[in-house]
Amino acid sequence: MHKLTCPLKPQTSWSTHRRKVAAGLLLALICPATHLNQAHAAVQPQPQSQQPQPQQSQDQGPQQDKILLRSGVVTVHQVMNEGLANSPRLEQARSQIPVAKAAIKQATVFPNPGFMTDLQVRFTYKYGATIQFEAPWVILFRLMAARKQVEQADLELARVLWNFRGQARRAYAELIMASELAATQDDLVALTKRLHSNAQQRFENGDVPKLDVHRAKLAVIQAELDAEQAHILVERSREQLNILIGRAADLPMNLPTLLSEQSTNDASGLLPDLTREMPPRQKLVQEAYQSRYELKVAKQAASVARAQLKVARADNFPRGLVNAGLMVEDVSVEGSLRRKTPYVQAQVFFPVFDRQQGRIAKSIADINQWNKAEISQRNIIDSEVALAYRRVEMARAKIRRYLQEAIPASEQLTTSADLGYKLGHTDINAVLDVQQRNILLRTQYLQSVLEYQLALNDLEQAVGHPLL
């Protein structure tokens, strides 16, 4: 935490030495408390693009909408970065920081002074000021509690930003998968049209019956229908992602192509690196204990409760009231002679009935509650990491088999079947069956990539920091 020099103007109206000493003691806490680092910087993904300031999203909306378009192909990290900077869904979370900082200003407030008068007509007249006083350390404890509340709000904001990052990653993966599925359906349309053309040509040559032409035509219609639905799904996914990251819903987005083989040229960032082994599960669990914002929030909330307990106990101290002024007395009732003398009165209130019993009991209960919450959260982390870890393993194994064995064999079989029908070596039933199996295989491969991304996203959320 950086410290700022925060000069404090001397209060000339304070006449007592106690007020000056209290001001000096408060200076050490007031100045650093006005400058807290924003914890949401810790949840930023890899710095592949320049982070725009959140204020620019309000003043330069049209320019911000074109950030992704300037960089060409949109990657998952660009989507997360722009969403963290521009999404309107995060403004409410960011607004909690000034609310928490307002407690710091309130913690430095002293009791208001007053005016005191006591008139006994023709005998005694008192005019003066009334000042309440409390122990200086009460102000210090209130400041400490307020600062801890700001730190807790900062952690809450970081937790919201981290969860939003996961939402953006999930939406991006779904958009890529929808786009690839639409491309797969377009390939099927091209295959069926070519099959229809071959069937029409063979029918004209008298090699096959008219039934083959009708079946090929029906296959074309079905393929075009599925492709149309797939493209609508792409538009829906793109609109949802644009809205999520704070862009206009209809803006286009240049998406990368998901490669059908393992390559370092994967611009989407969605394919797993099968050459790298996954880290041990227990290591990820230990990292989660250090990174998860739920644990940090629970620990900070317990710290806030302990600070509030100190404030409650500090308030359980005698408070005083001082009256000081000028007393005017009539020395002679018949005459006009008067005597003017200064006076000081003091009242002390002792904590006899109100000993802050409720506040103390509540603070102790809050401390116990947040300690139990931390234990419970650790158990939840163990379960979430273990479940997501196995899901990632399963998805990686499926993708490896698809990339290395299934997809190459399916592509070769489809090419052979199409060529065989064109040359008259196979019938149309075999070709349609092979095409359907090839599309089904590619769809299952895309689904496995989506499962991998969703599982990896859940694993990152469970661990509390990026894994790629």
Side-chain angles (χ1 to χ4, degrees):
M1 183 180 296
H2 302 284
K3 295 185 177 180
L4 295 178
T5 57
C6 182
L8 189 65
K9 296 182 180 180
Q11 303 295 329
T12 57
S13 61
W14 292 353
S15 58
T16 64
H17 180 66
R18 185 189 300 106
R19 298 293 184 181
K20 295 180 179 179
V21 173
L25 293 175
L26 295 177
L27 179 62
L29 290 177
I30 296 176
C31 295
T34 58
H35 184 71
L36 291 175
N37 293 331
Q38 296 294 330
H40 64 270
V43 300
Q44 300 293 343
Q46 287 82 352
Q48 296 188 5
S49 61
Q50 183 69 23
Q51 282 280 6
Q53 296 297 327
Q55 292 80 3
Q56 295 178 353
S57 63
Q58 302 175 0
D59 301 334
Q60 302 178 4
Q63 296 180 4
Q64 293 294 336
D65 290 337
K66 300 179 181 179
I67 290 180
L68 294 178
L69 301 180
R70 294 173 185 166
S71 58
V73 175
V74 179
T75 66
V76 62
H77 301 302
Q78 290 173 313
V79 168
M80 292 186 293
N81 286 342
E82 184 163 346
L84 289 172
N86 298 338
S87 177
R89 304 187 185 188
L90 303 178
E91 294 303 318
Q92 189 272 340
R94 291 189 176 101
S95 65
Q96 296 299 319
I97 299 299
V99 174
K101 287 184 177 181
I104 296 179
K105 296 182 179 180
Q106 184 62 32
T108 61
V109 174
F110 288 95
N112 291 323
F115 176 76
M116 181 269 183
T117 179
D118 182 8
L119 303 179
Q120 299 180 15
V121 181
R122 300 184 60 185
F123 289 98
T124 305
Y125 307 89
K126 292 182 179 179
Y127 307 95
T130 300
I131 301 176
Q132 304 179 45
F133 67 90
E134 55 187 3
W137 54 82
V138 175
I139 308 296
L140 301 180
F141 287 146
R142 286 206 300 259
L143 274 173
M144 293 172 62
R147 289 179 58 193
K148 291 183 180 297
Q149 288 177 346
V150 174
E151 293 174 3
Q152 181 182 357
D154 215 24
L155 289 174
E156 289 283 0
L157 172 60
R159 182 175 62 86
V160 172
L161 296 178
W162 175 250
N163 292 337
F164 176 83
R165 179 186 183 274
Q167 296 176 12
R169 186 187 186 105
R170 178 183 293 268
Y172 179 83
E174 291 176 350
L175 174 58
I176 292 292
M177 293 304 106
S179 177
E180 289 296 322
L181 181 59
T184 301
Q185 295 296 334
D186 291 339
D187 291 342
L188 179 60
V189 171
L191 288 174
T192 54
K193 286 184 176 181
R194 185 166 63 247
L195 177 63
H196 178 262
S197 177
N198 293 335
Q200 182 67 33
Q201 183 178 0
R202 292 188 63 187
F203 169 72
E204 293 175 355
N205 295 334
D207 297 335
V208 295
K210 186 67 173 180
L211 179 62
D212 282 11
V213 179
H214 292 317
R215 295 190 64 182
K217 181 61 177 178
L218 181 61
V220 171
I221 296 175
Q222 184 63 46
E224 290 177 342
L225 176 61
D226 293 339
E228 181 182 11
Q229 295 296 313
H231 284 285
I232 295 176
L233 179 61
V234 172
E235 293 302 318
R236 187 189 71 178
S237 301
R238 180 184 289 111
E239 289 173 354
Q240 292 300 313
L241 180 58
N242 280 332
I243 294 173
L244 179 65
I245 64 177
R247 304 172 76 228
D250 297 331
L251 283 181
M253 187 177 295
N254 187 12
L255 298 176
T257 301
L258 184 65
L259 302 180
S260 59
E261 59 182 6
Q262 185 64 32
S263 172
T264 56
N265 297 324
D266 176 27
S268 66
L270 299 182
L271 290 177
D273 186 358
L274 300 178
T275 61
R276 297 176 55 186
E277 296 294 333
M278 293 184 60
R281 180 182 60 83
Q282 193 58 36
K283 178 183 177 182
L284 296 180
V285 172
Q286 296 300 323
E287 292 178 0
Y289 289 159
Q290 303 297 325
S291 303
R292 281 289 290 266
Y293 287 102
E294 288 81 358
L295 282 178
K296 294 180 180 180
V297 169
K299 292 178 181 178
Q300 186 62 30
S303 179
V304 171
R306 285 190 289 269
Q308 294 290 354
L309 178 60
K310 293 180 180 179
V311 174
R313 288 174 174 171
D315 285 338
N316 193 20
F317 190 82
R319 295 174 177 267
L321 184 66
V322 176
N323 299 328
L326 183 65
M327 181 175 63
V328 180
E329 297 179 286
D330 285 337
V331 177
S332 174
V333 178
E334 300 293 338
S336 60
L337 181 60
R338 292 187 175 185
R339 182 173 59 187
K340 299 180 181 180
T341 57
Y343 75 94
V344 176
Q345 292 179 340
Q347 299 180 20
V348 180
F349 302 94
F350 293 96
V352 177
F353 302 107
D354 183 6
R355 299 188 301 275
Q356 307 296 327
Q357 300 97 322
R359 292 174 59 189
I360 292 176
K362 183 180 183 302
S363 297
I364 294 176
D366 287 342
I367 294 173
N368 181 68
Q369 176 188 2
W370 287 112
N371 288 337
K372 298 297 184 181
E374 182 179 351
I375 297 175
S376 174
Q377 192 61 47
R378 285 177 176 268
N379 182 264
I380 295 175
I381 288 175
D382 291 340
S383 175
E384 291 179 348
V385 172
L387 178 60
Y389 187 87
R390 296 308 175 190
R391 288 174 55 201
V392 171
E393 277 191 335
M394 294 172 59
R396 282 169 56 93
K398 291 173 62 176
I399 292 174
R400 180 181 290 107
R401 296 297 295 269
Y402 279 123
L403 291 178
Q404 296 177 357
E405 301 176 14
I407 290 180
S410 178
E411 295 291 344
Q412 184 178 3
L413 182 61
T414 302
T415 303
S416 300
D418 186 59
L419 180 61
Y421 182 77
K422 184 177 182 180
L423 298 177
H425 297 163
T426 57
D427 60 4
I428 193 171
N429 293 326
V431 178
L432 291 175
D433 181 69
V434 169
Q435 289 181 352
Q436 291 176 356
R437 290 180 179 274
N438 179 51
I439 295 302
L440 178 60
L441 181 67
R442 292 174 61 179
T443 303
Q444 291 174 344
Y445 163 69
L446 295 176
Q447 184 63 32
S448 66
V449 176
L450 178 59
E451 291 175 358
Y452 165 76
Q453 273 301 311
L454 298 182
L456 180 62
N457 182 68
D458 291 343
L459 183 59
E460 286 188 345
Q461 293 292 314
V463 174
H465 64 77
L467 299 177
L468 296 180

